[in-house]
Amino acid sequence: MVRRDGVRVTGLARSWSVALAGVTGRVVGVEADVGPGLPGFGLIGLPDTALSEARERVRAAVQNSGETWPKQKITVSMSPADLHKRGGGFDLVLALVVLAAAGAVPEGACTDLVVLGELGLDGTVRGLRGVLPAVAAAARGGLKRVMVPTANLNEAALVDGVEVIGVASLRHALAVLRGEPIPEEEQIATAPPVVPRAIERAMLDLVDVRGQAEARRALEVAAAGGHHLFLHGAPGAGKTMLAERLPGLLPELDRTAALEVTEIHSVAGLLPVGTPLVTRAPYARPHHTATTAALVGGGSGELLRPGAASLAHRGVLFLDEAPEFRAGVLDSLRQPMESGEVLLARSGITARFPAAFLLVLAANPCPCGKAVDLGRGVGCSCSPNARRRYQSKISKPLIDRLDLQVFVDRPSRSELVGDCDGESTDTVADRVRVARQRAAHRLAATPWTLNAQVSSRALRRELRIDDGALRVVERALDNGLLSARGMDRVLRVAWSLADLGGRARPGAHEVGTALALRSGVVNGWAA
């Protein structure tokens, strides 16, 4: 409302922002009313402590940007009212709707605009975590104009069909909304299409690994079918070298998978500078002192963060010296191994983080690592009880979920000093790519893309293997060497071996090889 003397005494303005829970965003409507009453700033709609404190930050940022703060009653409502709003990412939208309601911004200038950004006291707009999933949520909500910090400009532009405006300060944002010239030091165009730079394949190459034919084969099968892998054997045999080279065997991520991975890294604040789109399979290697929260994610309120399991989504999660991890920490991986995601439930919030990783465990046979060398005359200083305690740190249910369990012995002297090199990463990666294409074609009418994802029901019906090829598996079941879950995992590995070999269906050879690759570590990790 405007008085006869032209002084505005009341006004209403509306804009939009996004509240994140994990990588899931919900559009939030932000309304401001400036009207008669005692001067004050009321914020309603379940704000947390950080957001409640935004009132002081916003007031200081507005005044330090050369604008006039309304000396009237200000009420800001954030809806839906039953959704908790957390963090400092609402600062910029609060400043804009208050100024718009006070008449400092043309009417309707921010009505269809999604605004994300934290303000400094001087009016600087600071970068945020989680801008990519927030912009994607806005696009799904039908909103096509988004204002973000310049630090997040390229990241936000990854979302198709959205006009992205980058701003460096509150003055910059107001100039855009008013149609005024942008300060020269802050000029930046609407975000151009992002063309991610090519990321070179890692320098780690399989050709550096001497010997280990069986372990190298297991690595290839794991990459082809998405199978979890357990490497067990003597210290210095090459377990870590093999695991570090597994990401290089995985194909580049397609657009959908790349955006999924990028969203997780955005929330974690780990996106690479200049190239926000993650196009290569990620690799996570947490230290054995990691907590459950560090491995699967944790925190509280707005501090919920993805763990290593989610940071390895669509890639490799490597746990070296696995028995040194606390047993409860290791077992926390059992649920995401089955479901492909982590659900973190806290008071008032539930966050979902995708976690479809390829798990690789590496372990020595005992605390001193010499148990495998007893036959060579090298003494092991560990008692039988110590070895059992050490091996029991990895629970049998977790081991049962590992498709490939391979013993890695030390390479021979001839393998170490000889001139014979194994295949390179590029050569093996080409076979993996072709095998994955065969699996994707076979599974095109299903919700799966990898053999490791196929359900037990489908293995016994649409993808049933001939009874004659299953005799070796049936004997292992009768002898107690396989569980029902273990049988399914053997059959999935057999399909991956068939894809690598160019066969239409697995035969007795593929099934037997799959069983051998799983049986390398049984009954106390015996070789």
Side-chain angles (χ1 to χ4, degrees):
M1 184 176 75
V2 180
R3 293 196 319 223
R4 290 183 180 180
D5 58 5
V7 177
R8 187 185 182 103
V9 295
T10 184
L12 181 67
R14 182 182 180 90
S15 190
W16 305 89
S17 194
V18 177
L20 277 181
V23 293
T24 303
R26 287 187 63 183
V27 175
V28 174
V30 184
E31 296 175 301
D33 176 82
V34 176
L38 292 174
F41 189 172
L43 183 60
I44 56 178
L46 286 182
D48 71 338
T49 302
L51 184 50
S52 296
E53 293 173 348
R55 290 176 293 189
E56 301 303 321
R57 287 197 303 274
V58 169
R59 181 185 290 109
V62 168
Q63 293 173 338
N64 290 329
S65 298
E67 300 293 327
T68 300
W69 184 257
K71 295 180 180 179
Q72 295 164 277
K73 182 179 179 181
I74 302 170
T75 303
V76 176
S77 174
M78 309 180 75
S79 59
D82 61 346
L83 176 67
H84 286 266
K85 290 84 178 177
R86 296 173 163 86
F90 295 96
D91 290 1
L92 182 58
V93 71
L94 292 177
L96 293 181
V97 293
V98 168
L99 291 174
V105 173
E107 185 175 355
C110 55
T111 302
D112 63 345
L113 183 66
V114 177
V115 182
L116 306 168
E118 179 180 335
L119 288 173
L121 296 182
D122 60 351
T124 301
V125 179
R126 296 168 176 167
L128 296 174
R129 300 171 185 252
V131 165
L132 176 59
V135 175
R140 288 192 298 270
L143 297 164
K144 302 301 182 183
R145 292 180 68 231
V146 181
M147 181 178 286
V148 302
T150 54
N152 302 113
L153 184 59
N154 285 341
E155 176 187 347
L158 293 172
V159 180
D160 296 330
V162 176
E163 177 191 356
V164 182
I165 304 167
V167 293
S169 68
L170 179 57
R171 288 193 306 144
H172 187 173
L174 291 171
V176 170
L177 296 181
R178 292 167 176 168
E180 298 175 349
I182 299 170
E184 183 177 349
E185 67 275 12
E186 296 170 348
Q187 285 183 5
I188 186 163
T190 299
V194 173
V195 181
R197 296 196 304 265
I199 299 176
E200 296 182 0
R201 188 181 296 277
M203 295 301 293
L204 300 176
D205 199 303
L206 265 179
V207 77
D208 300 327
V209 180
R210 295 302 183 99
Q212 309 301 357
E214 184 180 14
R216 290 169 63 102
R217 180 62 168 165
L219 218 63
E220 181 177 346
V221 175
H227 304 289
H228 302 304
L229 174 63
F230 186 13
L231 299 173
H232 161 257
K239 301 185 293 297
T240 301
M241 287 185 67
L242 287 161
E244 289 175 340
R245 284 151 180 78
L246 180 54
L249 303 183
L250 302 178
E252 284 199 5
L253 303 176
D254 60 30
R255 176 74 177 183
T256 301
L259 287 174
E260 283 183 0
V261 173
T262 304
E263 285 184 354
I264 298 168
H265 285 69
S266 173
V267 171
L270 298 176
L271 286 182
V273 177
T275 307
L277 186 64
V278 180
T279 59
R280 294 293 303 172
Y283 174 73
R285 182 185 175 182
H287 192 262
H288 65 260
T289 58
T291 63
T292 301
L295 195 58
V296 298
S300 61
E302 72 275 10
L303 299 178
L304 283 176
R305 294 288 182 263
S310 294
L311 294 174
H313 179 59
R314 304 287 186 179
V316 176
L317 175 62
F318 176 44
L319 304 186
D320 201 4
E321 304 294 347
E324 299 296 341
F325 285 79
R326 293 202 296 272
V329 173
L330 288 177
D331 283 338
S332 68
L333 293 173
R334 286 157 54 181
Q335 183 268 332
M337 288 172 70
E338 299 288 343
S339 65
E341 66 178 14
V342 173
L343 289 175
L344 300 177
R346 299 293 185 270
S347 177
I349 185 172
T350 299
R352 171 190 169 273
F353 292 108
F357 52 84
L358 195 166
L359 177 64
V360 180
L361 299 185
N364 295 327
C366 65
C368 78
K370 298 180 180 179
V372 293
D373 292 330
L374 290 175
R376 301 177 184 174
V378 180
C380 173
S381 59
C382 305
S383 68
N385 285 337
R387 288 197 291 271
R388 281 194 294 270
R389 284 195 302 270
Y390 186 75
Q391 294 172 358
S392 67
K393 291 182 179 181
I394 305 179
S395 67
K396 290 296 170 57
L398 179 60
I399 289 180
D400 203 34
R401 287 171 167 80
L402 304 174
D403 303 2
L404 306 167
Q405 303 175 11
V406 179
F407 177 76
V408 183
D409 200 1
R410 290 194 178 98
S412 65
R413 182 176 60 182
S414 61
E415 289 172 333
L416 288 174
V417 302
D419 296 330
C420 181
D421 291 330
E423 291 180 310
S424 68
T425 290
D426 287 336
T427 300
V428 179
D430 287 340
R431 287 201 300 269
V432 168
R433 177 179 49 80
V434 173
R436 286 200 171 204
Q437 289 173 349
R438 291 193 181 104
H441 178 74
R442 180 176 63 253
L443 301 172
T446 73
W448 314 299
T449 56
L450 296 174
N451 291 319
Q453 301 167 343
V454 176
S455 70
S456 300
R457 180 187 177 94
L459 288 172
R460 286 162 175 75
R461 294 193 175 187
E462 296 85 357
L463 299 178
R464 182 176 177 81
I465 299 174
D466 294 339
D467 291 342
L470 295 177
R471 292 193 183 115
V472 63
V473 171
E474 292 170 353
R475 287 197 297 270
L477 279 171
D478 293 339
N479 295 333
L481 296 178
L482 272 184
S483 64
R485 181 192 289 121
M487 176 181 176
D488 289 344
R489 294 186 179 277
V490 167
L491 300 183
R492 295 182 184 113
V493 172
W495 275 105
S496 295
L497 288 165
D499 291 332
L500 286 168
R503 295 176 59 92
R505 299 186 73 83
H509 174 71
E510 285 77 22
V511 175
T513 302
L515 181 61
L517 286 171
R518 181 178 175 81
S519 303
V521 185
V522 293
N523 297 331
W525 304 355

